[in-house]
């Protein structure tokens, strides 16, 4: 008699997620019973027009907001049962964030920005430095570690943000419109990094309204009026979008 191994729990398990704002006649239902699983190593693009609920969903998945009802487990932990301190620890250790606006700290070097989540996590300085340098190497910025954000192009700043998201070795990389402020060449650079991370087994959920960006994912979930109207698998594209001709890269 053979013993079957249990399959690992999904990184994300969402059931009947509802989010409401306001009361009475002014009440708005941003999410209307969303359910989904994201398995380890998956690369998911969540799409939808403005007002579709995708940003609300992203905030809940990242433990930045709480649902009105429903359950949400990340890496096996039930976020609905955690207090604010426990949620903060969960965010720091299990979720890596990449935002459209980079959210880097001015007048701090790329290296210091990447080290920041490890500072909050109480990691000793030598270990912080080693891990931050390794993360910056992953995104191809070993020659920019001492540059401050205003000394970097938009694409380089976003790559620093990706390194910062990776440095804690999170269960989930959560990217909210990560190419929204980038030119074509820088978009290609960031998506190429995402593709490599996916190929290495990283779990990625990416919020986007761009079809060209979503084409890099293995799975596309589309929201309309707070409901999932499409959830499909696809073969991701082989490479980044075409670069602009030399000299037209605004960086």
């Amino acid at each position: 008699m053979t013993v079957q191994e249990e399959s690992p729990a999904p990184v994300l398990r969402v059931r009947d997620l509802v989010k409401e704002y306001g009361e009475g006649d002014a009440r708005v239902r941003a999410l209307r019973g969303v359910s989904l699983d994201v398995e380890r190593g998956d690369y998911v693009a969540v799409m939808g027009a403005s007002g579709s609920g995708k940003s609300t969903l992203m905030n809940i998945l990242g433990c930045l907001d709480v649902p009105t009802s429903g359950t949400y487990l990340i890496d096996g932990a039930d976020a609905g049962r955690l207090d604010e301190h426990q949620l903060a620890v969960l965010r720091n250790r299990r979720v890596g964030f990449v935002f459209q606006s980079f959210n880097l700290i001015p007048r701090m070097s790329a290296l210091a920005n990447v080290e920041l989540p490890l500072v909050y996590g109480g990691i000793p300085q030598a270990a912080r430095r080693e891990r931050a340098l390794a993360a910056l190497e992953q995104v191809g910025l070993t020659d920019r570690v001492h540059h401050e954000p205003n000394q970097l192009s938009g694409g380089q700043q976003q790559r620093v943000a990706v390194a910062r998201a990776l440095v804690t070795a999170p269960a989930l990389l959560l990217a909210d419109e990560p190419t929204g402020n980038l030119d074509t060449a820088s978009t290609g650079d960031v998506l190429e990094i995402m593709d490599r991370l996916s190929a290495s087994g990283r779990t990625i959920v990416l919020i986007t309204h761009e079809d060209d960006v979503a084409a890099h994912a293995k799975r596309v979930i589309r929201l309309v009026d707070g409901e999932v109207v499409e959830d499909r698998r696809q073969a991701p594209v082989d490479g980044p979008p075409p670069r602009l001709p030399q000299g037209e890269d605004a960086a």
Side-chain angles (χ1 to χ4, degrees):
M1 178 179 176
T2 59
V3 178
Q4 285 188 328
E5 292 185 7
E6 291 187 9
S7 58
V11 172
L12 297 179
R13 172 156 284 172
V14 173
R15 291 293 179 269
D16 300 320
L17 217 58
V18 172
K19 181 64 180 180
E20 297 178 345
Y21 297 99
E23 297 180 355
D25 293 340
R27 185 174 65 179
V28 175
R29 297 192 84 191
L31 295 178
R32 302 169 179 262
V34 171
S35 295
L36 59 93
D37 287 349
V38 176
E39 303 295 337
R40 296 182 190 279
D42 211 351
Y43 185 0
V44 182
V46 178
M47 303 192 71
S50 178
S52 64
K54 65 182 188 298
S55 294
T56 300
L57 179 62
M58 181 266 183
N59 287 335
I60 293 173
L61 296 182
C63 301
L64 299 170
D65 198 359
V66 294
T68 304
S69 63
T71 59
Y72 165 46
L73 277 68
I74 174 167
D75 206 22
D78 187 344
R81 297 179 178 272
L82 304 180
D83 60 28
E84 288 189 12
H85 172 72
Q86 291 169 324
L87 281 174
V89 172
L90 185 71
R91 281 195 301 269
N92 180 265
R93 295 181 180 176
R94 303 194 193 182
V95 184
F97 293 95
V98 181
F99 297 100
Q100 178 176 345
S101 56
F102 318 141
N103 287 8
L104 300 178
I105 307 299
R107 300 187 181 180
M108 286 180 63
S109 68
L111 183 61
N113 268 283
V114 175
E115 284 184 344
L116 207 53
L118 301 177
V119 174
Y120 295 145
I123 305 300
Q125 183 177 9
R128 290 200 309 262
R129 182 62 48 91
E130 182 180 358
R131 288 168 62 173
L133 287 171
L136 285 163
E137 183 177 7
Q138 275 190 278
V139 299
L141 286 178
T142 52
D143 59 340
R144 295 289 189 272
V145 296
H146 299 300
H147 287 60
E148 296 179 0
N150 65 1
Q151 299 172 309
L152 301 171
S153 70
Q156 289 169 337
Q157 289 184 61
Q158 191 60 295
R159 285 152 65 190
V160 172
V162 172
R164 181 184 58 193
L166 294 173
V167 76
T168 59
L172 171 68
L173 184 62
L174 191 58
D176 185 15
E177 301 279 6
T179 62
N181 287 339
L182 302 181
D183 59 51
T184 303
S186 297
T187 291
D189 289 341
V190 169
L191 289 176
E192 188 175 9
I193 290 168
M194 293 289 187
D195 292 347
R196 290 203 311 267
L197 293 172
S198 175
S200 71
R202 185 73 60 181
T203 307
I204 302 170
V205 173
L206 182 148
I207 310 294
T208 185
H209 65 276
E210 298 285 351
D211 289 330
D212 288 349
V213 173
H216 286 251
K218 301 173 183 175
R219 176 182 172 196
V220 174
I221 295 173
R222 193 176 299 273
L223 295 178
V224 173
D225 294 334
E227 296 182 292
V228 175
V229 299
E230 181 183 29
D231 186 349
R232 61 178 171 84
R233 291 272 166 197
Q234 66 180 14
V237 297
D238 292 332
R243 291 177 176 272
L244 291 174
Q246 193 69 27
E248 296 183 35
D249 178 2

